[in-house]
Amino acid sequence: MVWGVLEEMRIRSLGVIDDAVVELSPGFTAVTGETGAGKTMVVTSLGLLLGGRADPALVRIGAGSAVVEGRISLPPGAPAALRAEEAGAELDEGALLVTRTVSAEGRSRAHLGGRSVPVGLLAELADELVAVHGQTDQQGLLKPARQRGALDRYAGEAVSGPLAAYGEVYRRLRAVTAELDEITTRARERAQEADLLRFGLSEIEAVAPRAGEDTELAAEAERLGHAEALASAAALAHAALAGNPEDPESVDATTLVAGAGRALEGVRAHDPALAALADRMGEISILLADVAQELAGYADDLDADPLRLAAVEERRAALTQLTRKYGESVGAVLAWAEESAERLGELDGDDDRVGELTAERDRLRDELSVLAQRLTDARVEAAARFAEAVTAELASLAMPHARVSFDIRQSEAPDEASGVEVGGRRVAYGPAGADEVELLLAPHPGAPPRPIAKGASGGELSRVMLAVEVVFAGVDPVPTYLFDEVDAGVGGKAAVEIGRRLAKLARTAQVVVVTHLPQVAAFADRQLLVEKTNDGSVTRSGVTVLEGEERVRELSRMLAGQEDSETARAHAEELLATARADA
């Protein structure tokens, strides 16, 4: 089932393109034009729509920003449609509108179905919608890591299942190994840390502070240091309130207030307001008596013992020694002690922890060995099928005698203790298993299989990449394939076979090809011509759909560089006829 088709793109102020609309066929669309006309801007534009890096240098000189708009038709239930709707996007009659704007200052914005979205969401949707292949992708295929990724993608669940389980165990093993190394390599530092903690805890234990004790002692020291002044003030205040027994003539506040109260008592019945004042006067009299009594008790209880003051200051000095080292207050000192005791327990338990971690590490390595072996077995099985399928595709791409194979090998572990066991050997391993995967090509009988980085020419590499993608299309299809000069370094019969194979691929998916070969363009369902105006720009009318005579003229130009050459025209018509016959 096709999960989406890119119907058209509008490109404004991008590179040499001023304002142009690219209308694409659901099948095979070929984009042609003179060198430098802006054909690769089609690839660049689609890359921007798919969340690619925004380069402000792409913005046309004199323009404030470049804008690329795309319209992608999506059937109900398509994964990309569901993900877009989750992000708040709305579909327009079954089509998803995608917009990417790049300012000349480098700012980038993305819109999906009328909703502003992160650029990363476009890249997420790209995995479901389009496979883009260009010269850089060919170079990527030369890297063994990419080749292993391609094999794993082809193998599907047979590899992805154990690879996911392997990844979890691998990450846990790395964490356990790192912790074990940290404990063992820092044993001396940890022992020193433990000694310092023990010393600090012993100091605190010797003083045995209580929470809040420093505050209590500070208040007591303040009181004891001013005992005489406090006692004298309390005695004077008591005499003022209750009178001086040694001076019968003295007048005190209690006596005066009591007299005032008696004066009011006799007349309170005549005026409620005065009765209220009499009640308040009674309350004052009671309050004065209470305060006087407490002042007398305070003076009696006040301890002016200099020995007690000395003991308090000595205790405060001991607490100060602790707060200078371990915290700003006794509370902070006690918190430090609690944390340090916990940390000391961890450090003292290192020996036990080392044993636990060592056992877990060995168990994880054994588990990793089992999973690595499963990965190797699955890859070997998939590699045979993958190589056979790619070899069959190469036969239809004018490489009938070429043979593709995979070299799946493992490297010996640097030491016996650090590797995992695969095939009865102790081998090195990484996050994707223990296998080193390399794609080999024997271009003709008698030629030894060699890595494609060394054994394939540019044209052969283009065809190998196309064959690989065609094989992928059978097991993990995407709706749209975009090839940027996949026919580089190819000509003659090989070019015709590439065109024929792309047309076959277009029966089940949308295929867009930027090409300079007429043999490839002739097989397209639709051919677009990109051409500049006199001022060097590509305008709306500069991307045209070629039909009939116009297409013959463009194919003639591509064949001979001359649009009106009778020989070239005859060859162009023959190419079109051959392509139609294959269809």
Side-chain angles (χ1 to χ4, degrees), residues 506-526:
R507 294 172 188 170
T508 56
Q510 182 182 35
V511 177
V512 181
V513 179
V514 177
T515 182
H516 65 282
L517 291 181
Q519 296 94 327
V520 172
F523 282 87
D525 300 306
R526 172 175 293 178

Side-chain angles (χ1 to χ4, degrees), residues 341-501:
E342 183 177 344
R343 174 61 176 162
L344 185 59
E346 294 176 3
L347 295 173
D348 287 342
D350 274 356
D351 290 341
D352 294 338
R353 184 61 177 155
V354 166
E356 294 172 1
L357 290 172
T358 300
E360 185 177 6
R361 180 198 62 189
D362 294 343
R363 178 185 62 77
L364 290 170
R365 278 183 180 165
D366 291 342
E367 189 175 348
L368 211 61
S369 294
V370 174
L371 292 169
Q373 184 68 64
R374 286 179 58 191
L375 279 174
T376 298
D377 293 343
R379 283 169 175 155
V380 169
E381 189 277 333
R385 292 186 290 109
F386 193 16
E388 182 179 356
V390 173
T391 297
E393 284 297 329
L394 289 177
S396 66
L397 292 172
M399 295 178 67
H401 304 297
R403 292 291 179 270
V404 167
S405 60
F406 279 95
D407 178 20
I408 300 178
R409 60 187 182 275
Q410 300 82 32
S411 298
E412 295 292 336
D415 56 77
E416 190 66 20
S418 64
V420 295
E421 188 171 322
V422 174
R425 296 185 302 133
R426 206 73 180 170
V427 299
Y429 64 95
D435 303 317
E436 298 173 19
V437 177
E438 195 160 32
L439 185 62
L440 308 179
L441 174 68
H444 52 81
R450 300 181 63 194
I452 58 172
K454 301 176 181 178
S457 65
E460 289 170 340
L461 183 59
S462 295
R463 282 177 279 176
V464 170
M465 189 187 77
L466 177 57
V468 167
E469 197 56 62
V470 169
V471 171
F472 277 147
V475 296
D476 186 22
V478 294
T480 299
Y481 294 89
L482 174 62
F483 295 96
D484 181 15
E485 298 193 11
V486 69
D487 47 22
V490 177
K493 181 181 179 181
V496 172
E497 295 302 331
I498 286 179
R500 182 176 284 117
R501 196 61 191 85

Side-chain angles (χ1 to χ4, degrees), residues 68 196 220 281 446 499 568:
V68 181
L196 289 174
E220 186 177 1
M281 193 66 69

Side-chain angles (χ1 to χ4, degrees), residues 531-544:
E531 55 185 349
K532 294 181 181 180
T533 58
N534 292 333
D535 64 358
S537 67
V538 176
T539 63
R540 181 182 295 272
S541 61
V543 180
T544 56

Side-chain angles (χ1 to χ4, degrees), residues 4-303:
V5 172
L6 180 62
E7 295 180 342
E8 68 176 26
M9 288 191 300
R10 182 177 183 184
I11 309 167
R12 287 177 287 174
S13 302
L14 184 72
V16 298
I17 297 180
D18 178 24
D19 188 348
V21 175
V22 180
E23 298 178 0
L24 302 172
S25 165
F28 180 6
T29 300
V31 181
T32 63
E34 295 278 4
T35 300
K39 300 187 300 297
T40 56
M41 285 298 103
V42 174
V43 181
T44 302
S45 299
L46 186 55
L48 288 173
L49 284 182
L50 300 177
R53 187 178 68 88
D55 185 355
L58 294 173
V59 179
R60 184 171 173 79
I61 296 175
S65 62
V67 180
V68 181
E69 299 171 291
R71 181 181 175 88
I72 304 172
S73 65
L74 296 171
L82 297 176
R83 182 66 186 92
E85 289 172 349
E86 286 178 6
E90 295 183 0
L91 271 65
D92 179 18
E93 298 181 352
L96 182 63
L97 303 180
V98 186
T99 305
R100 183 78 182 277
T101 304
V102 181
S103 73
E105 293 77 26
R107 294 187 301 274
S108 172
R109 291 178 298 171
H111 289 80
L112 192 65
R115 175 67 62 90
S116 177
V117 296
V119 173
L121 179 59
L122 301 186
E124 185 180 334
L125 294 179
D127 293 336
E128 300 284 349
L129 295 173
V130 180
V132 180
H133 296 282
Q135 297 299 309
T136 56
D137 299 277
Q138 288 189 18
Q139 296 304 313
L141 189 62
L142 301 179
K143 300 177 182 178
R146 289 284 297 274
Q147 294 169 14
R148 181 178 59 203
L151 177 59
D152 289 353
R153 176 184 161 198
Y154 176 81
E157 180 60 28
V159 165
S160 63
L163 184 59
Y166 177 96
E168 292 182 9
V169 176
Y170 176 81
R171 287 187 289 274
R172 177 57 188 162
L173 177 58
R174 282 179 61 89
V176 168
T177 303
E179 184 178 354
L180 188 58
D181 289 345
E182 194 269 343
I183 291 176
T184 54
T185 58
R186 293 185 55 208
R188 178 178 299 177
E189 296 176 20
R190 295 167 73 89
Q192 291 173 346
E193 182 185 357
D195 287 343
L196 289 174
L197 293 176
R198 288 192 188 93
F199 178 79
L201 290 170
S202 65
E203 276 197 319
I204 295 173
E205 185 179 359
V207 176
R210 292 181 295 102
E213 185 180 5
D214 48 347
T215 303
E216 296 173 6
L217 290 175
E220 186 177 1
E222 184 72 14
R223 186 170 63 252
L224 291 173
H226 299 83
E228 291 184 5
L230 293 172
S232 175
L236 289 173
H238 179 269
L241 293 178
N244 187 348
E246 298 179 358
D247 184 7
E249 301 294 331
S250 63
V251 179
D252 58 86
T254 302
T255 301
L256 292 174
V257 171
R262 287 194 297 272
L264 296 176
E265 279 295 327
V267 295
R268 63 178 296 159
H270 305 302
D271 188 349
L274 195 61
L277 292 174
D279 290 339
R280 291 170 63 187
M281 193 66 69
E283 294 171 1
I284 293 172
S285 180
I286 293 171
L287 182 59
L288 286 176
D290 288 344
V291 173
Q293 185 177 359
E294 289 184 21
L295 284 171
Y298 175 83
D300 292 338
D301 294 340
L302 190 61
D303 186 2

